[in-house]
């Protein structure tokens, strides 16, 4: 009987040893667990989308020409408008931003013709920039960008003495620098400066006489507002 008991104990111990050995082999085959993501990685993984709403000052460069009138130039009014933009992050550092807003500009002659009000035009300047975001400053997140602008001029109207005002749509290059300061993981404040290099052709009739030239607006877009990261 003692012999049978010893046999049962030996069998049980052998079974336990086999189970332990099998478990160890299985654990060895499993890949090690990945390190827990940082807060920055967790935010980026949550969504690649960001939106901003800004108040924007549009400050133009008063420059232009009137063909056949030496010394004559153009000047344009500055405005303050709302702006909305959408950003998509391809990586933590690389993003594309679409900037949307509309404004108007009053046009007048300068120089040899004196100051004469020509008219007014509305402007829709959608702009796309490719940005590099610096991520090693904590909640302070500066960025730089460069891209392309296409300015559409619409709803053009003339002052007395002028008619048929036509400012041509045109492309322009864009440069950008700014920063977000994230107050929470989703909400932040933003400051942004863009320079649009925009020179286009224009024409009108002045007292029945056709005139034309180039309008060099080259506006600075200086804005501040609120950031939301999804």
């Amino acid at each position: 009987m003692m012999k049978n008991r010893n046999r049962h104990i030996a069998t049980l111990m052998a079974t336990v040893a086999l189970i332990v050995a099998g478990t160890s082999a299985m654990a060895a085959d499993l890949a090690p667990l990945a390190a827990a993501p940082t807060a920055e990685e967790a935010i980026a993984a949550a969504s690649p989308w960001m939106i901003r709403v800004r108040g924007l000052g549009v400050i133009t460069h008063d420059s232009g020409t009137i063909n056949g009138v030496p010394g004559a130039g153009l000047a344009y009014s500055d405005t303050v408008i709302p702006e909305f933009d959408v950003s998509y992050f391809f990586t933590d550092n690389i993003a594309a931003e679409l900037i949307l807003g509309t404004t108007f500009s009053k046009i007048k002659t300068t120089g040899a013709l004196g100051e004469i009000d020509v008219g007014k035009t509305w402007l829709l300047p959608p702009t796309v920039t490719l940005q590099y975001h610096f991520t090693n400053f904590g909640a302070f997140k500066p960025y730089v960008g460069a891209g392309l602008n296409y300015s559409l001029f619409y709803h053009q109207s003339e002052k007395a003495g002028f008619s048929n005002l036509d400012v041509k749509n045109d492309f322009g290059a864009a440069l950008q620098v700014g920063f977000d300061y994230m107050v929470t993981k989703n909400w932040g404040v933003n400051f942004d400066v863009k320079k649009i290099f925009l020179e286009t052709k224009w024409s009108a009739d002045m007292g029945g006489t056709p005139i034309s030239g180039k309008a060099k607006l080259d506006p600075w877009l200086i804005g501040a507002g609120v950031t939301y990261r999804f």
Side-chain angles (χ1 to χ4, degrees):
M1 186 171 179
M2 183 63 69
K3 188 180 294 185
N4 289 336
R5 185 179 177 183
N6 290 340
R7 189 181 299 119
H8 290 321
I9 293 173
T11 302
L12 181 60
M13 292 180 64
T15 303
V16 171
L18 287 172
I19 292 172
V20 171
T23 303
S24 299
M26 186 180 298
D29 291 336
L30 292 176
L33 294 176
T38 64
E40 186 83 17
E41 292 168 340
I43 294 171
S47 174
W49 295 99
M50 174 184 282
I51 61 173
R52 300 185 185 91
V53 178
R54 301 187 183 103
L56 190 70
V58 182
I59 303 171
T60 56
H61 175 62
D62 292 334
S63 179
T65 60
I66 300 175
N67 294 334
V69 187
L74 298 175
Y76 323 96
S77 61
D78 301 329
T79 55
V80 177
I81 61 168
E83 181 203 72
F84 176 77
D85 73 65
V86 181
S87 297
Y88 183 87
F89 284 78
F90 301 101
T91 70
D92 288 346
N93 300 105
I94 306 298
E97 182 183 69
L98 173 63
I99 302 155
L100 300 170
T102 189
T103 185
F104 67 87
S105 185
K106 297 177 180 179
I107 306 169
K108 63 182 179 181
T109 64
T110 61
L113 291 179
E115 291 192 3
I116 304 174
D117 290 331
V118 177
K120 175 181 174 181
T121 181
W122 282 83
L123 170 63
L124 180 66
T127 304
V128 177
T129 59
L130 186 65
Q131 303 170 330
Y132 184 85
H133 290 252
F134 300 89
T135 57
N136 53 337
F137 298 102
F140 177 67
K141 302 182 184 302
Y143 57 84
V144 294
L148 187 66
N149 160 267
Y150 184 68
S151 293
L152 299 97
F153 296 89
Y154 67 98
H155 197 57
Q156 302 178 54
S157 58
E158 305 85 8
K159 290 291 186 178
F162 290 88
S163 60
N164 299 322
L165 176 63
D166 182 21
V167 183
K168 300 296 185 183
N169 302 338
D170 213 336
F171 287 95
L175 296 177
Q176 180 183 35
V177 62
F179 68 84
D180 294 293
Y181 186 87
M182 301 306 294
V183 180
T184 71
K185 71 174 184 177
N186 298 110
W187 290 97
V189 294
N190 174 261
F191 180 77
D192 184 90
V193 177
K194 290 180 285 291
K195 176 68 173 180
I196 308 294
F197 297 91
L198 176 62
E199 181 176 331
T200 186
K201 296 179 180 179
W202 72 280
S203 62
D205 290 337
M206 181 179 179
T209 302
I211 59 174
S212 61
K214 290 186 177 181
K216 189 173 183 179
L217 288 85
D218 288 352
W220 286 96
L221 310 181
I222 302 173
V226 178
T227 297
Y228 183 78
R229 179 73 182 264
F230 289 92

